[in-house]
Amino acid sequence: MQSGGRQAEAPGRGPRVLVVGGGIAGLGAAQRLCRHPAFSHLRVLEATARAGGRIRSEHSFGGVVEVGAHWIHGPSQGNPVFQLAAKYGLLGERALSEENQLIETGGHVGLPSVSYASSGVSVSLELVAEMASLFYSLIDRTREFLQATETTPPSVGEYLKEKIRQHTASWTEDEETKKLKLAILKNLFNVECCVSGTHSMDLVALAPFGEYTVLPGLDCTFPEGYQGLTDRIVASLPKDVMVFDKPVKTIHWNGSFQEASAPGETFPVLVECEDGDCFPAHHVVVTVPLGFFKKHLDTFFEPPLPTEKVEAIRKIGFGTNNKIFLEFEEPFWEPDCQHIQVVWEDTSPLEDATPELQDAWFKKLVGFWVLPPFQASHVLCGFIAGLESEFMETLSEEEVLRSLTQVLRRVTGNPWLPAPRSVLRSCWHSAPYTRGSYSYVAVGSSGDDMDRLAQPLPSDGKGAQLQVLFAGEATHRTFYSTTHGALLSGWREADRLMTLWDPQAQWPEPRL
């Protein structure tokens, strides 16, 4: 049925729209729709007690730490998260400077301030820079495969290893230095696993890898917490739009549902919640994380999703990247230290060693970033990805603290290094409504799968249009895994709905 016919069904009242998920994609869609007079019947159903989703700032250690999203990646004019944060006054002077916005990082992580080896010695930063230069030049070369339909090898990891093997043949140093160079490269592979949100770069598809688009600007943080951004979006919404602690059980679509309060009106969608509450709607914008989709694919939609969408959900990668914060009374690092690298000398990207997780999970930890000092404490933030990261979630905080104290004593060569005062870690894999961190294009999938995931239902053009729409970082072909990809996807679906109900309108960039 065309939108005009449906408006005749509900004169003057406009469509009923439900947004499932109160992360930045859902909030962005809601904010954009609420500014249009036709969308006064809008609700955001959020499964937890807070908005923000994978943006989550916590007050801890006497300051604010980011349990979820950490940086604005590519903070420049083409980044809507940067623009919104700037308009809301949430960024520092340096992040806003034109100079910062023009820096081209290529999306690569900067060099460490200090590098410690597992034998307790410092690694030459010159050697680290040499290996980083090799590694990132190879990462940049993956763009050459962009137009390829199939690649040999199929994964980024295998391509990198193939090229590194070729390079090692021309290395002339002694065996010990060669081994150290490989150990540094292994650390860089682990960093790339954190960036891609994957267990191994062998799982990441080579041909589409270069489709991910890096925006200019040196990555920046929010001095008062990333959640300030989503809190401001929530504050801009009309009262009663947000409904918290309302997990959705099943989305019934392609139906004809009625409600006592709207006699004679039928709705094509009914959203059934875990607590038994049911919400009929004309449209539902689904913004749940891909990890949740993967876990609940069989029960979340009735009738089930079309095969091509199910296949896309199964094929796109979704892994875990966690943070471990360690609080110290006094810093053991130098005042100008920003990033501590940890290199395990017995590791190499060319060897597939898989020791027991409980014995070696911490070797996947790439190192620590030094947070700006809080009033009475000094905090390091470690990053760890993959199955080791998921195993870490099963340990107690005491076990994590004990293991990492041993690691730090070992790599600094100081057996009396004071233990951290406390630990805080994220657990994104076991978070029931997230089930991981963010998406990547896995071997066997392509950007087309992300586009398929983004396609609204029904896809055959029959019945009421745009019953179920999809947003979230995993639906953005070039900005997947980012907050700006998520926000843009929410705006995209809001625009799709506004065009259906008001085809003549031209939608400007959202005003604040």
PDB file of all heavy atoms in Angstrom, residues 240-271:
ATOM      1  N   ASP A 240       9.269  10.838  26.914  1.00  0.00           N
ATOM      2  CA  ASP A 240       8.583   9.549  26.692  1.00  0.00           C
ATOM      3  C   ASP A 240       8.989   8.817  25.403  1.00  0.00           C
ATOM      4  O   ASP A 240       8.450   7.754  25.115  1.00  0.00           O
ATOM      5  CB  ASP A 240       7.043   9.692  26.695  1.00  0.00           C
ATOM      6  CG  ASP A 240       6.530  10.278  27.998  1.00  0.00           C
ATOM      7  OD1 ASP A 240       7.206  10.066  29.024  1.00  0.00           O
ATOM      8  OD2 ASP A 240       5.496  10.954  27.979  1.00  0.00           O
ATOM      9  N   VAL A 241       9.896   9.380  24.617  1.00  0.00           N
ATOM     10  CA  VAL A 241      10.345   8.655  23.418  1.00  0.00           C
ATOM     11  C   VAL A 241      11.175   7.432  23.827  1.00  0.00           C
ATOM     12  O   VAL A 241      11.003   6.338  23.297  1.00  0.00           O
ATOM     13  CB  VAL A 241      11.164   9.580  22.471  1.00  0.00           C
ATOM     14  CG1 VAL A 241      11.948   8.762  21.446  1.00  0.00           C
ATOM     15  CG2 VAL A 241      10.231  10.547  21.748  1.00  0.00           C
ATOM     16  N   MET A 242      12.063   7.618  24.809  1.00  0.00           N
ATOM     17  CA  MET A 242      12.929   6.516  25.256  1.00  0.00           C
ATOM     18  C   MET A 242      12.173   5.589  26.215  1.00  0.00           C
ATOM     19  O   MET A 242      11.556   6.058  27.170  1.00  0.00           O
ATOM     20  CB  MET A 242      14.164   7.053  25.983  1.00  0.00           C
ATOM     21  CG  MET A 242      15.121   7.859  25.121  1.00  0.00           C
ATOM     22  SD  MET A 242      15.888   6.950  23.755  1.00  0.00           S
ATOM     23  CE  MET A 242      16.665   5.580  24.579  1.00  0.00           C
ATOM     24  N   VAL A 243      12.248   4.299  25.931  1.00  0.00           N
ATOM     25  CA  VAL A 243      11.668   3.301  26.836  1.00  0.00           C
ATOM     26  C   VAL A 243      12.811   2.346  27.231  1.00  0.00           C
ATOM     27  O   VAL A 243      13.345   1.624  26.384  1.00  0.00           O
ATOM     28  CB  VAL A 243      10.526   2.496  26.167  1.00  0.00           C
ATOM     29  CG1 VAL A 243       9.867   1.557  27.176  1.00  0.00           C
ATOM     30  CG2 VAL A 243       9.496   3.436  25.553  1.00  0.00           C
ATOM     31  N   PHE A 244      13.209   2.390  28.486  1.00  0.00           N
ATOM     32  CA  PHE A 244      14.359   1.600  28.948  1.00  0.00           C
ATOM     33  C   PHE A 244      13.937   0.244  29.511  1.00  0.00           C
ATOM     34  O   PHE A 244      12.757   0.016  29.810  1.00  0.00           O
ATOM     35  CB  PHE A 244      15.147   2.390  29.998  1.00  0.00           C
ATOM     36  CG  PHE A 244      15.836   3.602  29.438  1.00  0.00           C
ATOM     37  CD1 PHE A 244      15.332   4.883  29.656  1.00  0.00           C
ATOM     38  CD2 PHE A 244      16.976   3.471  28.659  1.00  0.00           C
ATOM     39  CE1 PHE A 244      15.964   6.004  29.130  1.00  0.00           C
ATOM     40  CE2 PHE A 244      17.619   4.579  28.119  1.00  0.00           C
ATOM     41  CZ  PHE A 244      17.106   5.850  28.356  1.00  0.00           C
ATOM     42  N   ASP A 245      14.923  -0.639  29.669  1.00  0.00           N
ATOM     43  CA  ASP A 245      14.694  -1.996  30.205  1.00  0.00           C
ATOM     44  C   ASP A 245      13.568  -2.697  29.447  1.00  0.00           C
ATOM     45  O   ASP A 245      12.674  -3.310  30.039  1.00  0.00           O
ATOM     46  CB  ASP A 245      14.362  -1.931  31.712  1.00  0.00           C
ATOM     47  CG  ASP A 245      15.528  -1.379  32.519  1.00  0.00           C
ATOM     48  OD1 ASP A 245      16.655  -1.886  32.343  1.00  0.00           O
ATOM     49  OD2 ASP A 245      15.314  -0.436  33.309  1.00  0.00           O
ATOM     50  N   LYS A 246      13.622  -2.607  28.131  1.00  0.00           N
ATOM     51  CA  LYS A 246      12.549  -3.152  27.293  1.00  0.00           C
ATOM     52  C   LYS A 246      13.145  -4.012  26.182  1.00  0.00           C
ATOM     53  O   LYS A 246      13.092  -3.667  25.000  1.00  0.00           O
ATOM     54  CB  LYS A 246      11.740  -1.977  26.722  1.00  0.00           C
ATOM     55  CG  LYS A 246      10.379  -2.324  26.170  1.00  0.00           C
ATOM     56  CD  LYS A 246       9.446  -2.978  27.133  1.00  0.00           C
ATOM     57  CE  LYS A 246       8.708  -2.048  28.051  1.00  0.00           C
ATOM     58  NZ  LYS A 246       7.698  -2.818  28.838  1.00  0.00           N
ATOM     59  N   PRO A 247      13.757  -5.163  26.553  1.00  0.00           N
ATOM     60  CA  PRO A 247      14.327  -6.019  25.508  1.00  0.00           C
ATOM     61  C   PRO A 247      13.240  -6.602  24.596  1.00  0.00           C
ATOM     62  O   PRO A 247      12.175  -7.007  25.066  1.00  0.00           O
ATOM     63  CB  PRO A 247      15.046  -7.131  26.272  1.00  0.00           C
ATOM     64  CG  PRO A 247      14.573  -7.047  27.681  1.00  0.00           C
ATOM     65  CD  PRO A 247      13.985  -5.688  27.906  1.00  0.00           C
ATOM     66  N   VAL A 248      13.541  -6.612  23.316  1.00  0.00           N
ATOM     67  CA  VAL A 248      12.599  -7.135  22.319  1.00  0.00           C
ATOM     68  C   VAL A 248      12.845  -8.629  22.140  1.00  0.00           C
ATOM     69  O   VAL A 248      13.983  -9.084  22.054  1.00  0.00           O
ATOM     70  CB  VAL A 248      12.764  -6.381  20.980  1.00  0.00           C
ATOM     71  CG1 VAL A 248      12.015  -7.074  19.855  1.00  0.00           C
ATOM     72  CG2 VAL A 248      12.295  -4.935  21.142  1.00  0.00           C
ATOM     73  N   LYS A 249      11.746  -9.377  22.080  1.00  0.00           N
ATOM     74  CA  LYS A 249      11.837 -10.832  21.899  1.00  0.00           C
ATOM     75  C   LYS A 249      11.683 -11.202  20.420  1.00  0.00           C
ATOM     76  O   LYS A 249      12.505 -11.915  19.842  1.00  0.00           O
ATOM     77  CB  LYS A 249      10.752 -11.507  22.734  1.00  0.00           C
ATOM     78  CG  LYS A 249      10.778 -13.037  22.667  1.00  0.00           C
ATOM     79  CD  LYS A 249       9.625 -13.612  23.480  1.00  0.00           C
ATOM     80  CE  LYS A 249       9.595 -15.120  23.357  1.00  0.00           C
ATOM     81  NZ  LYS A 249       8.374 -15.685  23.982  1.00  0.00           N
ATOM     82  N   THR A 250      10.611 -10.693  19.791  1.00  0.00           N
ATOM     83  CA  THR A 250      10.332 -11.049  18.395  1.00  0.00           C
ATOM     84  C   THR A 250       9.708  -9.875  17.657  1.00  0.00           C
ATOM     85  O   THR A 250       8.842  -9.181  18.206  1.00  0.00           O
ATOM     86  CB  THR A 250       9.361 -12.264  18.312  1.00  0.00           C
ATOM     87  OG1 THR A 250       9.898 -13.322  19.094  1.00  0.00           O
ATOM     88  CG2 THR A 250       9.180 -12.741  16.875  1.00  0.00           C
ATOM     89  N   ILE A 251      10.155  -9.679  16.423  1.00  0.00           N
ATOM     90  CA  ILE A 251       9.540  -8.678  15.550  1.00  0.00           C
ATOM     91  C   ILE A 251       8.670  -9.426  14.543  1.00  0.00           C
ATOM     92  O   ILE A 251       9.177 -10.183  13.710  1.00  0.00           O
ATOM     93  CB  ILE A 251      10.616  -7.833  14.837  1.00  0.00           C
ATOM     94  CG1 ILE A 251      11.394  -7.008  15.878  1.00  0.00           C
ATOM     95  CG2 ILE A 251       9.982  -6.921  13.781  1.00  0.00           C
ATOM     96  CD1 ILE A 251      12.652  -6.367  15.351  1.00  0.00           C
ATOM     97  N   HIS A 252       7.355  -9.263  14.660  1.00  0.00           N
ATOM     98  CA  HIS A 252       6.397  -9.890  13.734  1.00  0.00           C
ATOM     99  C   HIS A 252       6.135  -8.888  12.617  1.00  0.00           C
ATOM    100  O   HIS A 252       5.718  -7.761  12.884  1.00  0.00           O
ATOM    101  CB  HIS A 252       5.084 -10.209  14.460  1.00  0.00           C
ATOM    102  CG  HIS A 252       5.265 -11.081  15.668  1.00  0.00           C
ATOM    103  ND1 HIS A 252       5.174 -12.452  15.619  1.00  0.00           N
ATOM    104  CD2 HIS A 252       5.548 -10.766  16.967  1.00  0.00           C
ATOM    105  CE1 HIS A 252       5.385 -12.949  16.831  1.00  0.00           C
ATOM    106  NE2 HIS A 252       5.616 -11.952  17.659  1.00  0.00           N
ATOM    107  N   TRP A 253       6.391  -9.286  11.370  1.00  0.00           N
ATOM    108  CA  TRP A 253       6.227  -8.355  10.248  1.00  0.00           C
ATOM    109  C   TRP A 253       5.395  -9.002   9.143  1.00  0.00           C
ATOM    110  O   TRP A 253       5.061 -10.180   9.224  1.00  0.00           O
ATOM    111  CB  TRP A 253       7.594  -7.875   9.732  1.00  0.00           C
ATOM    112  CG  TRP A 253       8.501  -8.972   9.225  1.00  0.00           C
ATOM    113  CD1 TRP A 253       9.168  -9.897   9.979  1.00  0.00           C
ATOM    114  CD2 TRP A 253       8.835  -9.250   7.870  1.00  0.00           C
ATOM    115  NE1 TRP A 253       9.889 -10.742   9.175  1.00  0.00           N
ATOM    116  CE2 TRP A 253       9.716 -10.365   7.877  1.00  0.00           C
ATOM    117  CE3 TRP A 253       8.486  -8.675   6.644  1.00  0.00           C
ATOM    118  CZ2 TRP A 253      10.237 -10.913   6.700  1.00  0.00           C
ATOM    119  CZ3 TRP A 253       9.007  -9.210   5.476  1.00  0.00           C
ATOM    120  CH2 TRP A 253       9.884 -10.311   5.514  1.00  0.00           C
ATOM    121  N   ASN A 254       5.033  -8.187   8.163  1.00  0.00           N
ATOM    122  CA  ASN A 254       4.170  -8.637   7.063  1.00  0.00           C
ATOM    123  C   ASN A 254       2.832  -9.173   7.575  1.00  0.00           C
ATOM    124  O   ASN A 254       2.275 -10.118   7.033  1.00  0.00           O
ATOM    125  CB  ASN A 254       4.871  -9.722   6.223  1.00  0.00           C
ATOM    126  CG  ASN A 254       4.996  -9.273   4.769  1.00  0.00           C
ATOM    127  OD1 ASN A 254       4.570  -8.178   4.409  1.00  0.00           O
ATOM    128  ND2 ASN A 254       5.579 -10.121   3.940  1.00  0.00           N
ATOM    129  N   GLY A 255       2.349  -8.550   8.648  1.00  0.00           N
ATOM    130  CA  GLY A 255       1.089  -9.005   9.242  1.00  0.00           C
ATOM    131  C   GLY A 255       0.011  -7.944   9.141  1.00  0.00           C
ATOM    132  O   GLY A 255       0.136  -6.964   8.398  1.00  0.00           O
ATOM    133  N   SER A 256      -1.037  -8.155   9.912  1.00  0.00           N
ATOM    134  CA  SER A 256      -2.124  -7.183   9.980  1.00  0.00           C
ATOM    135  C   SER A 256      -2.573  -7.154  11.434  1.00  0.00           C
ATOM    136  O   SER A 256      -3.382  -7.975  11.862  1.00  0.00           O
ATOM    137  CB  SER A 256      -3.260  -7.630   9.054  1.00  0.00           C
ATOM    138  OG  SER A 256      -4.277  -6.683   9.068  1.00  0.00           O
ATOM    139  N   PHE A 257      -1.975  -6.244  12.180  1.00  0.00           N
ATOM    140  CA  PHE A 257      -2.194  -6.215  13.632  1.00  0.00           C
ATOM    141  C   PHE A 257      -3.068  -5.027  14.014  1.00  0.00           C
ATOM    142  O   PHE A 257      -3.047  -3.984  13.365  1.00  0.00           O
ATOM    143  CB  PHE A 257      -0.841  -6.132  14.358  1.00  0.00           C
ATOM    144  CG  PHE A 257       0.085  -7.264  13.993  1.00  0.00           C
ATOM    145  CD1 PHE A 257       1.110  -7.077  13.071  1.00  0.00           C
ATOM    146  CD2 PHE A 257      -0.088  -8.532  14.539  1.00  0.00           C
ATOM    147  CE1 PHE A 257       1.959  -8.125  12.712  1.00  0.00           C
ATOM    148  CE2 PHE A 257       0.758  -9.587  14.190  1.00  0.00           C
ATOM    149  CZ  PHE A 257       1.771  -9.380  13.271  1.00  0.00           C
ATOM    150  N   GLN A 258      -3.836  -5.240  15.074  1.00  0.00           N
ATOM    151  CA  GLN A 258      -4.735  -4.175  15.522  1.00  0.00           C
ATOM    152  C   GLN A 258      -4.474  -3.842  16.983  1.00  0.00           C
ATOM    153  O   GLN A 258      -3.815  -4.596  17.695  1.00  0.00           O
ATOM    154  CB  GLN A 258      -6.187  -4.615  15.311  1.00  0.00           C
ATOM    155  CG  GLN A 258      -6.494  -4.743  13.825  1.00  0.00           C
ATOM    156  CD  GLN A 258      -7.938  -5.124  13.563  1.00  0.00           C
ATOM    157  OE1 GLN A 258      -8.480  -6.006  14.234  1.00  0.00           O
ATOM    158  NE2 GLN A 258      -8.559  -4.490  12.586  1.00  0.00           N
ATOM    159  N   GLU A 259      -5.017  -2.688  17.381  1.00  0.00           N
ATOM    160  CA  GLU A 259      -4.842  -2.264  18.763  1.00  0.00           C
ATOM    161  C   GLU A 259      -6.149  -1.626  19.223  1.00  0.00           C
ATOM    162  O   GLU A 259      -6.761  -0.862  18.469  1.00  0.00           O
ATOM    163  CB  GLU A 259      -3.687  -1.257  18.844  1.00  0.00           C
ATOM    164  CG  GLU A 259      -3.293  -0.928  20.268  1.00  0.00           C
ATOM    165  CD  GLU A 259      -2.169   0.106  20.310  1.00  0.00           C
ATOM    166  OE1 GLU A 259      -2.291   1.152  19.642  1.00  0.00           O
ATOM    167  OE2 GLU A 259      -1.188  -0.142  21.004  1.00  0.00           O
ATOM    168  N   ALA A 260      -6.537  -1.919  20.443  1.00  0.00           N
ATOM    169  CA  ALA A 260      -7.821  -1.424  20.961  1.00  0.00           C
ATOM    170  C   ALA A 260      -7.904   0.102  20.901  1.00  0.00           C
ATOM    171  O   ALA A 260      -8.960   0.669  20.621  1.00  0.00           O
ATOM    172  CB  ALA A 260      -8.008  -1.900  22.400  1.00  0.00           C
ATOM    173  N   SER A 261      -6.763   0.781  21.140  1.00  0.00           N
ATOM    174  CA  SER A 261      -6.791   2.251  21.186  1.00  0.00           C
ATOM    175  C   SER A 261      -6.891   2.876  19.787  1.00  0.00           C
ATOM    176  O   SER A 261      -7.045   4.082  19.660  1.00  0.00           O
ATOM    177  CB  SER A 261      -5.543   2.781  21.889  1.00  0.00           C
ATOM    178  OG  SER A 261      -4.398   2.485  21.113  1.00  0.00           O
ATOM    179  N   ALA A 262      -6.749   2.059  18.749  1.00  0.00           N
ATOM    180  CA  ALA A 262      -6.842   2.588  17.377  1.00  0.00           C
ATOM    181  C   ALA A 262      -7.808   1.727  16.568  1.00  0.00           C
ATOM    182  O   ALA A 262      -7.403   0.973  15.679  1.00  0.00           O
ATOM    183  CB  ALA A 262      -5.457   2.600  16.733  1.00  0.00           C
ATOM    184  N   PRO A 263      -9.108   1.798  16.882  1.00  0.00           N
ATOM    185  CA  PRO A 263     -10.084   0.924  16.205  1.00  0.00           C
ATOM    186  C   PRO A 263     -10.102   1.173  14.698  1.00  0.00           C
ATOM    187  O   PRO A 263     -10.007   2.307  14.247  1.00  0.00           O
ATOM    188  CB  PRO A 263     -11.422   1.316  16.853  1.00  0.00           C
ATOM    189  CG  PRO A 263     -11.191   2.634  17.504  1.00  0.00           C
ATOM    190  CD  PRO A 263      -9.743   2.700  17.846  1.00  0.00           C
ATOM    191  N   GLY A 264     -10.147   0.084  13.964  1.00  0.00           N
ATOM    192  CA  GLY A 264     -10.228   0.176  12.510  1.00  0.00           C
ATOM    193  C   GLY A 264      -8.880   0.339  11.825  1.00  0.00           C
ATOM    194  O   GLY A 264      -8.783   0.249  10.611  1.00  0.00           O
ATOM    195  N   GLU A 265      -7.814   0.593  12.610  1.00  0.00           N
ATOM    196  CA  GLU A 265      -6.494   0.761  11.993  1.00  0.00           C
ATOM    197  C   GLU A 265      -5.711  -0.544  12.070  1.00  0.00           C
ATOM    198  O   GLU A 265      -5.757  -1.250  13.081  1.00  0.00           O
ATOM    199  CB  GLU A 265      -5.716   1.871  12.710  1.00  0.00           C
ATOM    200  CG  GLU A 265      -4.479   2.250  11.943  1.00  0.00           C
ATOM    201  CD  GLU A 265      -3.794   3.507  12.486  1.00  0.00           C
ATOM    202  OE1 GLU A 265      -4.259   4.074  13.485  1.00  0.00           O
ATOM    203  OE2 GLU A 265      -2.782   3.888  11.891  1.00  0.00           O
ATOM    204  N   THR A 266      -5.018  -0.857  10.984  1.00  0.00           N
ATOM    205  CA  THR A 266      -4.176  -2.062  11.005  1.00  0.00           C
ATOM    206  C   THR A 266      -2.710  -1.665  10.850  1.00  0.00           C
ATOM    207  O   THR A 266      -2.393  -0.674  10.191  1.00  0.00           O
ATOM    208  CB  THR A 266      -4.551  -3.036   9.862  1.00  0.00           C
ATOM    209  OG1 THR A 266      -4.356  -2.366   8.626  1.00  0.00           O
ATOM    210  CG2 THR A 266      -5.980  -3.520  10.002  1.00  0.00           C
ATOM    211  N   PHE A 267      -1.857  -2.448  11.470  1.00  0.00           N
ATOM    212  CA  PHE A 267      -0.410  -2.198  11.455  1.00  0.00           C
ATOM    213  C   PHE A 267       0.295  -3.428  10.888  1.00  0.00           C
ATOM    214  O   PHE A 267      -0.020  -4.553  11.285  1.00  0.00           O
ATOM    215  CB  PHE A 267       0.100  -1.953  12.883  1.00  0.00           C
ATOM    216  CG  PHE A 267      -0.559  -0.787  13.569  1.00  0.00           C
ATOM    217  CD1 PHE A 267      -1.713  -0.962  14.331  1.00  0.00           C
ATOM    218  CD2 PHE A 267      -0.010   0.483  13.472  1.00  0.00           C
ATOM    219  CE1 PHE A 267      -2.317   0.104  14.976  1.00  0.00           C
ATOM    220  CE2 PHE A 267      -0.611   1.561  14.118  1.00  0.00           C
ATOM    221  CZ  PHE A 267      -1.765   1.377  14.872  1.00  0.00           C
ATOM    222  N   PRO A 268       1.267  -3.241   9.991  1.00  0.00           N
ATOM    223  CA  PRO A 268       1.938  -4.410   9.410  1.00  0.00           C
ATOM    224  C   PRO A 268       2.964  -5.070  10.341  1.00  0.00           C
ATOM    225  O   PRO A 268       3.384  -6.191  10.096  1.00  0.00           O
ATOM    226  CB  PRO A 268       2.626  -3.841   8.171  1.00  0.00           C
ATOM    227  CG  PRO A 268       2.789  -2.399   8.452  1.00  0.00           C
ATOM    228  CD  PRO A 268       1.680  -1.979   9.358  1.00  0.00           C
ATOM    229  N   VAL A 269       3.367  -4.343  11.396  1.00  0.00           N
ATOM    230  CA  VAL A 269       4.417  -4.853  12.290  1.00  0.00           C
ATOM    231  C   VAL A 269       3.926  -4.869  13.730  1.00  0.00           C
ATOM    232  O   VAL A 269       3.188  -3.979  14.160  1.00  0.00           O
ATOM    233  CB  VAL A 269       5.690  -3.961  12.205  1.00  0.00           C
ATOM    234  CG1 VAL A 269       6.825  -4.575  13.019  1.00  0.00           C
ATOM    235  CG2 VAL A 269       6.139  -3.768  10.770  1.00  0.00           C
ATOM    236  N   LEU A 270       4.351  -5.897  14.456  1.00  0.00           N
ATOM    237  CA  LEU A 270       4.082  -5.964  15.906  1.00  0.00           C
ATOM    238  C   LEU A 270       5.395  -6.360  16.591  1.00  0.00           C
ATOM    239  O   LEU A 270       5.977  -7.402  16.281  1.00  0.00           O
ATOM    240  CB  LEU A 270       3.007  -7.011  16.216  1.00  0.00           C
ATOM    241  CG  LEU A 270       2.606  -7.110  17.702  1.00  0.00           C
ATOM    242  CD1 LEU A 270       1.715  -5.935  18.096  1.00  0.00           C
ATOM    243  CD2 LEU A 270       1.887  -8.424  17.990  1.00  0.00           C
ATOM    244  N   VAL A 271       5.843  -5.503  17.518  1.00  0.00           N
ATOM    245  CA  VAL A 271       7.079  -5.791  18.247  1.00  0.00           C
ATOM    246  C   VAL A 271       6.713  -6.355  19.615  1.00  0.00           C
ATOM    247  O   VAL A 271       6.050  -5.695  20.421  1.00  0.00           O
ATOM    248  CB  VAL A 271       7.954  -4.527  18.375  1.00  0.00           C
ATOM    249  CG1 VAL A 271       9.169  -4.804  19.265  1.00  0.00           C
ATOM    250  CG2 VAL A 271       8.414  -4.058  16.995  1.00  0.00           C
TER     251      VAL A 271
END
